[in-house]
Amino acid sequence: MSKLSMRSPWFICICAFLLRVLAIGMVQGAPGKLAHIWESGPEIVNIATAISSHRGFSSPFGIETGPTAWIPPVYPGLLAGIFLIFGQQSVLAAATILIVQAILSSLTCVPLYAIAKRTFDERSAVWSTWAWALFPYEVVLPGLFVWETCLSGFLAVSLCYLLPSECADERWGGIWAGVLWGIAALTNAALLSLMPVFLFSGYRERRMRCKGVATVVLVAVVVICPWTVRNWAVFRTLVPLRSNFGEELWKGNHPGGLGRIEFGIGPADNVAQRERYQQLGEIAYVRQRRWEALQFIRQSPIRYARLVLYRVEYWWFAQGEGAPIFIFYRLLSVLSLTGMALAWRRWRVAGTLPLFGAVVVYPLVYYLTDVYARYRYPIEPFLMVFAGYALSRAFEFRRSKMARA
């Protein structure tokens, strides 16, 4: 391949896809063994099964419990469409979902390259994009879970690239940007934390005027509203996006807890909690879990502070995870933090503010509630940009040192 093609984001994207498909085969083994993949995302899978069985958006834990807002609607809806075409929880459906996740992870290369080039330079963009394509942790993850993670990452990096542009201040540009924000919120509610960062950076860089910002926000609200109205109609309480915040707060903050997600303590994988959920109903159940978590926080503020500090450490270095793949998770943290330190003096330069803002703001809710390595994935493209900048600077320093020798 020529040097030009090796530096092309689309060539890197194709390489990334081939690697991810190969990883799916290595991780999952023979197609006949794909059946266990449904256990990796039971809430989404169960809701998708209910939708494709014409029972509506309901029953996240595999038993009839009525309507739910435990998960936002976009990804369960996508899976339900795949189930209708290829069969519920079939091997072909599993393969299709994993391939879709591999495509989304690979396509992330294209806006990632554009952001890195716009923010730093072409060399940094090439380093960043190849790092995303080749990093084992990023390669393996799309084939491990049935979850919205890869779609969230693609949406986050696409919104970062598209919104701080002049077209977002035009009427149709603002409308389409708002639609994309609405879809992002209905995919992963945590992505909304990035909206103020990206819109403010666009306004600060004079790429967007107040009218453009208002258009984006208004259209996003309009896109989200039907889901919120549906939740009001079935629950008779305000649930803007999803209902399970109390459960997430409790998972990370309860007596005897580790401070992060533990398996076997929630209704997805605990029979007693599932029966309790069924008996109380979704809203009453999460309210009770929230009350229990808040009681723990009030009674043990020092313990809570330590758990928050632990979650910060876990977010960056996966403290307590022993699998070899987490070596690359930690390596990305080291490289990206190095890149952020090198780029700090440039934070006022156009393009760097949304990257710093995303890395700082997005994890805050996880620091306060609970944390899991997969949760970091949506902002890992931004970490990869900083890592690529660090690698580029290191290469440039080495080359200049050799030239002086």
Side-chain angles (χ1 to χ4, degrees), residues 181 189-198 200 315-316 340 353-369 375-376 378-379 382-383 386:
W181 271 113
L191 290 177
L192 269 186
S193 65
L194 300 178
M195 182 184 245
V197 174
F198 292 170
F200 174 74
W315 181 269
W316 290 100
M340 281 185 269
L353 179 59
L355 301 183
F356 277 110
V359 171
V360 171
V361 171
Y362 184 80
L364 293 179
V365 67
Y366 299 109
Y367 295 161
L368 298 175
T369 56
Y375 293 172
R376 197 178 76 169
I379 64 162
F382 308 127
L383 299 181
F386 286 117

Side-chain angles (χ1 to χ4, degrees), residues 57 67-74 181-183 185-187 189 192 217-243 282-283:
F57 201 93
T68 184
W70 198 267
I71 301 289
V74 167
W181 271 113
I183 293 171
L186 295 172
T187 301
L192 269 186
V217 173
L218 179 61
V219 172
V221 170
V222 170
V223 172
I224 293 169
C225 262
W227 174 247
T228 305
V229 171
R230 174 264 184 191
N231 292 339
W232 177 267
V234 298
F235 297 121
R236 293 301 173 186
T237 190
L238 182 63
V239 182
L241 291 170
R242 62 186 302 184
S243 63
E282 183 163 294
I283 301 302

Side-chain angles (χ1 to χ4, degrees), residues 57-72:
F57 201 93
S58 64
S59 306
F61 304 116
I63 57 175
E64 286 296 330
T65 52
T68 184
W70 198 267
I71 301 289

Side-chain angles (χ1 to χ4, degrees), residues 79 95 106 139 167 211 266 285 304 318:
L79 264 61
S106 304
V139 170
C167 70
K211 183 179 178 181
Y285 177 84
Y304 177 64

Side-chain angles (χ1 to χ4, degrees), residues 207-363:
R207 294 174 179 265
M208 298 179 68
R209 296 188 295 270
C210 288
K211 183 179 178 181
V213 172
T215 300
V216 172
V217 173
L218 179 61
V219 172
V221 170
V222 170
V223 172
I224 293 169
C225 262
W227 174 247
T228 305
V229 171
R230 174 264 184 191
N231 292 339
W232 177 267
V234 298
F235 297 121
R236 293 301 173 186
T237 190
L238 182 63
V239 182
L241 291 170
R242 62 186 302 184
S243 63
N244 74 330
F245 177 79
E247 173 71 5
E248 298 300 321
L249 184 64
W250 181 90
K251 282 182 179 178
N253 305 285
H254 62 272
L258 300 178
R260 60 183 171 92
I261 280 187
E262 303 168 64
F263 296 100
I265 62 172
D269 45 22
N270 182 293
V271 174
Q273 289 300 321
R274 188 156 55 243
E275 291 175 352
R276 181 184 176 194
Y277 168 91
Q278 186 178 35
Q279 181 182 11
L280 294 175
E282 183 163 294
I283 301 302
Y285 177 84
V286 295
R287 282 176 177 168
Q288 192 168 101
R289 296 287 252 191
R290 181 182 62 193
W291 182 85
E292 292 171 3
L294 291 175
Q295 284 292 100
F296 170 79
I297 292 169
R298 292 189 193 101
Q299 294 171 5
S300 309
I302 295 176
R303 171 65 176 159
Y304 177 64
R306 288 174 178 168
L307 291 175
V308 170
L309 291 175
Y310 166 75
R311 285 189 283 268
V312 173
E313 185 180 9
Y314 182 96
W315 181 269
W316 290 100
F317 298 105
Q319 179 66 25
E321 299 287 2
I325 195 68
F326 286 101
I327 294 172
F328 299 97
Y329 182 98
R330 295 167 187 132
L331 178 59
L332 175 57
S333 295
V334 171
L335 290 173
S336 60
L337 289 170
T338 303
M340 281 185 269
L342 293 171
W344 177 247
R345 69 182 66 182
R346 298 170 52 106
W347 78 272
R348 293 182 181 273
V349 177
T352 56
L353 179 59
L355 301 183
F356 277 110
V359 171
V360 171
V361 171
Y362 184 80

